[in-house]
Amino acid sequence: MLRSIVLFLAILYLQGCANSTFFSPSKSATLNPEVRWLTSQSGNDIAYLWLPTEHPVPQGAVIHFHGNSGHMEETQEKVDWLTQHGYDVMVFDYSGFGHSSGVVSDEAAYLDAITVLKYIEQVKASTIQPVYTVATSTGGNIFLRAWADHPIAIDGVIIDSSFTSYIDTAEHVVEQGAFGELFSWVVHLIMRDDYAANQVAESLPVAPSLVLHCEQDSVVPIEFGEGIYDQLQGEKEFWRLAECKHARALTTQHPKYQQRLLGWLQQTAPALSPNGEEPSAVLANNQTVPSL
């Protein structure tokens, strides 16, 4: 048993693929006809969906950076409900997820996130409606690192159940298993934080920020979320949420937290002119997305 574990870890180290095993992407069986594409700095084509609101009074747009597993149509439940309340929602897949081309890796996800941030700049340049980001679990780590390296104006940042170090999070997961404490040190040998947010903690941009984390989170301990809150500057809030599991607080399982988030978005929104053009109208006139 021990010999097999050591051999497995050695193979990961020699192949340099330990960070890739951090991700668990899935593919969608059918191509949604509404899928659009961005040419990413990773060299891949990343798929995204723009979900327009049907609410008579548009409130803005929300861009979601999902976590390390599944694909956008499986994880959009964390934000798609916002379309009922006046928000357009954009969800996308990192390289190797869903219909996005390429192979999954921490570097590719980081470059994909920078590409999406550049796209957000285009959206903000075309509308006075506020634009927010929601980053869930691993998506928070990816987003924060990309945002620090490519700072843009964002009207509100929501970080849900997240962390800033692949190494620390992998070590925590390993320690939960049998004999985990005996082998957790190996994580530091085979994992890397080259594209993690902890490398840029001192240079994070400033925007109204909300960090939320479930007290009973057994995947990413709440202390990691508290660490993110401490690193963020400017106007910020931290929500310790009860009776919820990892990255589930903003789903329909917890309508009270959804309502609380709506209140935060409305409170954070800048004053708008009644003649502003909502993001959905902007993108409706931009069916062919330029390469970024």
Side-chain angles (χ1 to χ4, degrees):
M1 174 67 175
L2 176 59
R3 188 175 182 179
S4 298
I5 292 174
V6 171
L7 178 60
F8 173 70
L9 294 175
I11 291 173
L12 287 179
Y13 176 75
L14 292 173
Q15 292 183 343
C17 65
N19 273 56
S20 295
T21 63
F22 196 95
F23 297 91
S24 180
S26 64
K27 298 290 186 179
S28 178
T30 58
L31 178 62
N32 187 323
E34 299 300 319
V35 164
R36 302 179 185 183
W37 305 92
L38 289 173
T39 300
S40 173
Q41 290 186 200
S42 65
N44 300 315
D45 293 324
I46 55 175
Y48 77 96
L49 289 169
W50 189 274
L51 311 175
T53 182
E54 297 182 359
H55 196 279
V57 182
Q59 300 294 322
V62 174
I63 287 74
H64 185 225
F65 294 72
H66 69 66
N68 72 323
S69 63
H71 59 78
M72 62 181 175
E73 290 176 272
E74 294 176 336
T75 60
Q76 70 181 45
E77 62 173 335
K78 299 175 175 67
V79 289
D80 61 3
W81 56 273
L82 287 164
T83 60
Q84 303 171 29
H85 301 278
Y87 297 93
D88 288 357
V89 170
M90 175 183 174
V91 295
F92 73 96
D93 274 325
Y94 311 111
S95 298
F97 284 77
H99 294 292
S100 294
S101 65
V103 178
V104 62
S105 72
D106 54 340
E107 180 182 9
Y110 159 77
L111 293 172
D112 297 339
I114 288 183
T115 300
V116 171
L117 290 176
K118 290 184 176 182
Y119 187 54
I120 292 173
E121 286 184 295
Q122 290 188 352
V123 174
K124 286 187 64 64
S126 303
T127 179
I128 63 169
Q129 291 285 339
V131 179
Y132 307 92
T133 57
V134 175
T136 305
S137 190
T138 304
N141 190 22
I142 296 169
F143 162 76
L144 288 172
R145 174 57 190 267
W147 190 37
D149 290 344
H150 185 77
I152 67 168
I154 300 175
D155 295 292
V157 169
I158 299 101
I159 305 294
D160 175 16
S161 310
S162 195
F163 56 89
T164 60
S165 169
Y166 291 108
I167 293 174
D168 291 347
T169 306
E171 183 178 31
H172 170 76
V173 172
V174 170
E175 287 177 345
Q176 306 313 302
F179 308 109
E181 293 186 0
L182 294 176
F183 297 105
S184 61
W185 60 271
V186 181
V187 170
H188 292 263
L189 297 178
I190 65 173
M191 298 290 293
R192 67 179 184 182
D193 271 343
D194 294 20
Y195 298 98
N198 65 350
Q199 305 297 305
V200 292
E202 301 301 321
S203 57
L204 290 172
V206 176
S209 302
L210 168 63
V211 181
L212 57 101
H213 216 110
C214 297
E215 293 177 332
Q216 292 82 18
D217 193 328
S218 59
V219 179
V220 178
I222 193 170
E223 290 80 11
F224 289 8
E226 292 171 335
I228 293 175
Y229 174 79
D230 290 340
Q231 293 169 8
L232 292 169
Q233 303 298 315
E235 178 186 343
K236 59 182 180 179
E237 292 185 28
F238 184 80
W239 293 355
R240 298 178 63 93
L241 305 180
E243 300 178 351
C244 55
K245 297 181 180 180
H246 176 69
R248 301 301 299 169
L250 296 182
T251 68
T252 54
Q253 294 175 359
H254 300 280
K256 64 179 180 180
Y257 295 144
Q258 291 182 332
Q259 289 300 315
R260 190 176 175 185
L261 178 62
L262 286 172
W264 186 87
L265 290 171
Q266 293 165 4
Q267 178 182 350
T268 306
L272 296 176
S273 164
N275 296 321
E277 184 180 28
E278 67 270 22
S280 57
V282 172
L283 290 184
N285 296 325
N286 241 339
Q287 294 297 326
T288 302
V289 180
S291 299
L292 299 177

